[in-house]
Amino acid sequence: MPVYIGKRLLVAIPTLLIISIFVFSLQKLLPGDPILAMAGEERDPATLEFLRAKYHLNDPIILQYFSWLGGILTGDFGISLRTNQPVLELIGQKLPVTIQLATMAMFFAMVIGIPIGILAAVKKNTWIDYVANIVALTGLSIPNFWLGIMLILLVSVKLGWLPASGYESIFVDPVRSLQTMVMPAFVLGNALAATLMRHTRSAMVGVMSADYIRTARAKGLSPREIILSHSFRNALLPVVTLLALLFGELLAGAVLTEQIFTIPGFGKMTVDAVFNRDYAVVQGIVLCTAVGFILMNLIADVAYVLLNPRLRATI
C-alpha cells in the first residue's frame, strides 16, 4: 500500500506543475492593472513604478512564473496586493471555514442521499422508487440561492430557530458555530444528496442483478444482510469516486451560498480577489483547490483498494 500511494503521489507532481502553469498564465489574461487598483486616485508615476518593481511585474512573464513557483516550493505564496497580508496567512484563515462547511454539507448529502438511493434500488419500479426520483429531481432543480433565502425567511425570520447569517469559529464557540453552519450546509448538501441518491440507486440496481446476489438469496441469507453486506459494499466503488469529486468541488468554495449566509470562506475570498485583481490570492486559492482535488482522488483510490479485494491482489 505505501508503494501504491507513493506512485500516486509521483503522478500528482506533474499534474500540479501543469496546473500551476495554467493558473499563472490565465491570471495574466485578466483585464486591468492591479497596480492601478492599489494606487487608487493618487497615481503618481514614481509610486506606480515602485510597486511594479516590488511585485516583479516589470519582469518577463517567464521570470515572474519561476519566481512565483520558487516561492511556492518554499512555502511563500506571495503577498496580497490588496491587503498586504501573506497569501498563506489568508488561506489559513479561510480554509478551516470552508472545510467545516464542506464536511457538514457532505454529512447531510450522505445521510439523505445514500439511504434513499438504497431504498429506491430495493423498491425498484414501485411508488417508493418513483417518489425518490421525483424528490431527487426536485433537489437538483431548486437553486441554492433560492433555497437559502427561503430557509432564512422561514427558520430565522419567522421561527427564530437559527441565526440568519454570520460565522463563529468552532474552536471559539462550537454550539454557535454549528448553529450558523446548519442552514448553509443543508442548502449545499441538498443538491449533493440528489446527485448522490441517483448514483447510489444506479450502482445498487446494477449490483443487485448480479449472479452472486441471486446465489446469496438462494442460500437463504436475510434481505438485510444481502443489501448491506453484499450489494451496498460492491456498489460503493462509484459512490466513493463521486464523494471525492463532490468534496473537492466544495473545497473550491460555494460562492452563492457563502454570500447569502455571509460566511468568510474560499468562495467569498475568491470573488473578492478576482474583482480586486489580486493575482497572488487567486493563484494561491486555485492551487490549494487543485491540491484538495488531488488529495480527494488519492483517498478515493485508496478506498477502492480497501473495498475491492481483487485490486489489493494486483498491488
Side-chain angles (χ1 to χ4, degrees):
M1 182 64 75
V3 175
Y4 174 75
I5 295 175
K7 289 179 179 178
R8 299 297 299 175
L9 289 174
L10 286 176
V11 172
I13 293 175
T15 304
L16 283 174
L17 186 62
I18 293 172
I19 291 172
S20 71
I21 294 172
F22 273 102
V23 169
F24 189 86
S25 302
L26 293 176
Q27 179 70 22
K28 295 298 183 183
L29 297 179
L30 287 177
D33 188 343
I35 298 301
L36 293 178
M38 288 178 62
E41 295 182 0
E42 298 181 4
R43 299 179 178 179
D44 179 62
T47 302
L48 295 179
E49 188 62 27
F50 170 78
L51 290 174
R52 287 195 176 93
K54 178 182 178 181
Y55 293 105
H56 306 286
L57 296 180
N58 286 330
D59 296 341
I61 190 170
I62 296 178
L63 293 181
Q64 291 184 42
Y65 168 73
F66 281 109
S67 175
W68 173 72
L69 183 62
I72 294 294
L73 295 176
T74 58
D76 180 11
F77 281 62
I79 302 294
S80 169
L81 301 178
R82 195 70 178 175
T83 65
N84 207 33
Q85 289 180 268
V87 174
L88 198 58
E89 181 181 318
L90 291 173
I91 291 174
Q93 294 171 358
K94 308 298 183 182
L95 186 58
V97 181
T98 299
I99 290 177
Q100 181 184 352
L101 179 60
T103 303
M104 292 181 65
M106 289 305 301
F107 171 78
F108 279 116
M110 289 188 292
V111 168
I112 298 171
I114 292 178
I116 294 178
I118 294 174
L119 183 62
V122 173
K123 302 294 184 179
K124 181 184 175 183
N125 295 330
T126 66
W127 68 270
I128 295 177
D129 184 22
Y130 299 141
V131 170
N133 278 284
I134 291 172
V135 171
L137 184 60
T138 304
L140 287 171
S141 304
I142 295 177
N144 284 350
F145 71 88
W146 183 87
L147 181 59
I149 293 172
M150 291 301 104
L151 283 178
I152 290 174
L153 290 174
L154 176 63
V155 179
S156 300
V157 177
K158 191 167 185 179
L159 299 176
W161 288 349
L162 293 171
S165 62
Y167 172 76
E168 187 68 55
S169 173
I170 196 170
F171 302 108
V172 175
D173 189 343
V175 175
R176 177 71 178 177
S177 178
L178 292 176
Q179 289 176 340
T180 57
M181 281 294 199
V182 165
M183 283 199 294
F186 178 78
V187 168
L188 289 174
N190 172 70
L192 300 182
T195 304
L196 194 57
M197 175 265 162
R198 299 286 297 237
H199 279 75
T200 303
R201 179 192 178 279
S202 177
M204 284 288 293
V205 167
V207 169
M208 291 181 70
S209 62
D211 291 338
Y212 63 87
I213 298 297
R214 285 194 290 270
T215 303
R217 290 197 184 100
K219 287 182 177 180
L221 296 180
S222 66
R224 178 187 178 90
E225 188 174 358
I226 291 173
I227 293 169
L228 297 181
S229 300
H230 297 276
S231 301
F232 180 58
R233 182 173 181 178
N234 288 283
L236 267 179
L237 294 178
V239 175
V240 165
T241 302
L242 179 64
L243 286 172
L245 293 175
L246 291 177
F247 194 81
E249 182 180 334
L250 287 174
L251 288 179
V255 177
L256 288 177
T257 304
E258 290 181 7
Q259 291 283 357
I260 291 171
F261 291 96
T262 323
I263 297 175
F266 259 17
K268 191 174 186 305
M269 185 168 69
T270 303
V271 172
D272 292 341
V274 170
F275 276 112
N276 293 326
R277 300 180 184 87
D278 202 339
Y279 291 166
V281 174
V282 175
Q283 291 163 353
I285 292 172
V286 175
L287 200 60
C288 286
T289 302
V291 171
F293 264 105
I294 289 173
L295 287 177
M296 289 300 104
N297 278 280
L298 176 61
I299 292 173
D301 290 340
V302 173
Y304 262 17
V305 175
L306 295 177
L307 291 170
N308 194 333
R310 290 175 296 180
L311 290 179
R312 288 201 297 270
T314 63
I315 296 177

